[in-house]
Amino acid sequence: MVPKTVSALLDRHAHLLEREPFEAFVERLDSRHAELLNDALVHGGALERAMAMAEEARERIAEWPIPDAGFDALAASLRKVYRRGRNRMTEAWEHPSGARFHEWRKRAKYLWYHLRILAPAWPAVMEPWADAQHDLTDLLGEGNDLTDLLTLLDREPDLLPHGDMAEVLRGLAEARRRELWDMARPLGRRLYSETPAAFVDRLGGYWDGGVSTP
C-alpha cells in the first residue's frame, strides 16, 4: 500500500510540489512491493498455504455447531467487539501513536462486520450506521498507511537518499495523518457514544422487533 500512499499524497499536494523529483522513489517502492509480494506468494509458499487453509475451513463449516440462531448467538461477541473498540479509541486519543490508532482501526472493522450482519433487522437504521462505521475504518486505514510510510522512511532512508525530499514527504505524511485522526474523532465519538450494555440492548431490540422500516 505504501506506493499508493505516496502517490495519493503527492496528488493531494500537486499545487505545492512537482511530482517528477519523487517519481524514482515511487518506482522503487513499486518494484520493491512486487518483489516482496512475489517472494511471499510464490517462493514463500503463502499462496499454497492460504488455499489449503481455505479448503480446510470450507470442509469444517458444515460441522460448526450453532446452538442458538437468535440474537443471543451474537450478543456476547457484539458486546466484546464494541467494548474493545471503545477502549482502543480512548487509548488512541489519550496517548496518540500509529500503533494505537492501528489497534482502534482493527476493532472498528470488527464492529463493521457485525453491523453488516445485523443490518437486515432494521435496514433503514442499520445500513447507514454500518456505512458510517465503514467510513471510520477508511479514515483510520488511510492513517495507518501513512504510518507505514513514515516507518519506512525511518527504517530505510536509502530508498529516498535526498534528505530534503524525505523531510518534505515526512512532513506531508504527518500532517495528513493528523488531519485524518482529527476527522475520525467526532465520528468515533458518535459511533461509540453508548456503554457496551446499552449498545447491545438497543440492537437486541431492533432484532426482536423484526421490523424493516422505521
Side-chain angles (χ1 to χ4, degrees):
M1 294 298 292
V2 171
K4 292 182 179 179
T5 300
V6 175
S7 294
L9 202 58
L10 295 175
D11 289 343
R12 186 175 185 83
H13 296 280
H15 60 295
L16 297 174
L17 292 174
E18 291 185 14
R19 188 186 182 95
E20 185 175 354
F22 293 91
E23 285 294 344
F25 175 56
V26 175
E27 290 174 2
R28 282 195 293 273
L29 290 178
D30 278 329
S31 298
R32 182 175 180 275
H33 179 73
E35 290 173 3
L36 291 173
L37 186 61
N38 184 68
D39 287 344
L41 293 180
V42 180
H43 302 297
L47 183 59
E48 290 79 2
R49 289 196 299 273
M51 292 175 64
M53 291 173 63
E55 179 61 24
E56 182 182 351
R58 186 185 68 82
E59 293 174 355
R60 291 202 308 264
I61 288 176
E63 302 175 2
W64 286 356
I66 305 178
D68 188 346
F71 184 75
D72 288 345
L74 294 171
S77 175
L78 187 62
R79 183 180 296 104
K80 179 173 67 176
V81 166
Y82 182 85
R83 182 181 68 250
R84 289 180 175 177
R86 199 168 185 250
N87 290 342
R88 298 298 85 78
M89 177 183 69
T90 299
E91 291 168 1
W93 280 111
E94 288 181 348
H95 306 284
S97 71
R100 289 190 177 90
F101 274 90
H102 175 61
E103 287 301 315
W104 180 22
R105 191 246 181 178
K106 288 194 298 184
R107 303 303 173 183
K109 199 161 189 177
Y110 295 157
L111 180 57
W112 174 56
Y113 295 148
H114 281 70
L115 294 178
R116 289 174 61 194
I117 293 172
L118 291 166
W122 194 349
V125 171
M126 296 297 297
E127 288 178 2
W129 190 358
D131 289 344
Q133 189 73 26
H134 189 252
D135 290 343
L136 175 63
T137 66
D138 281 348
L139 290 172
L140 297 175
E142 188 178 344
N144 289 343
D145 292 341
L146 290 164
T147 295
D148 290 341
L149 171 59
L150 290 166
T151 300
L152 183 65
L153 290 172
D154 289 337
R155 290 181 178 175
E156 301 186 42
D158 290 343
L159 286 172
L160 189 56
H162 301 289
D164 55 342
M165 292 173 60
E167 286 305 310
V168 167
L169 195 59
R170 184 178 286 106
L172 294 177
E174 289 174 345
R176 176 58 177 163
R177 185 176 66 170
R178 172 54 62 180
E179 180 183 15
L180 291 163
W181 288 354
D182 287 344
M183 292 166 64
R185 188 168 193 167
L187 182 55
R189 282 177 170 172
R190 289 195 296 272
L191 292 170
Y192 290 96
S193 62
E194 299 172 281
T195 65
F199 171 79
V200 172
D201 286 347
R202 182 155 63 91
L203 265 65
Y206 295 164
W207 180 285
D208 293 338
V211 294
S212 59
T213 57

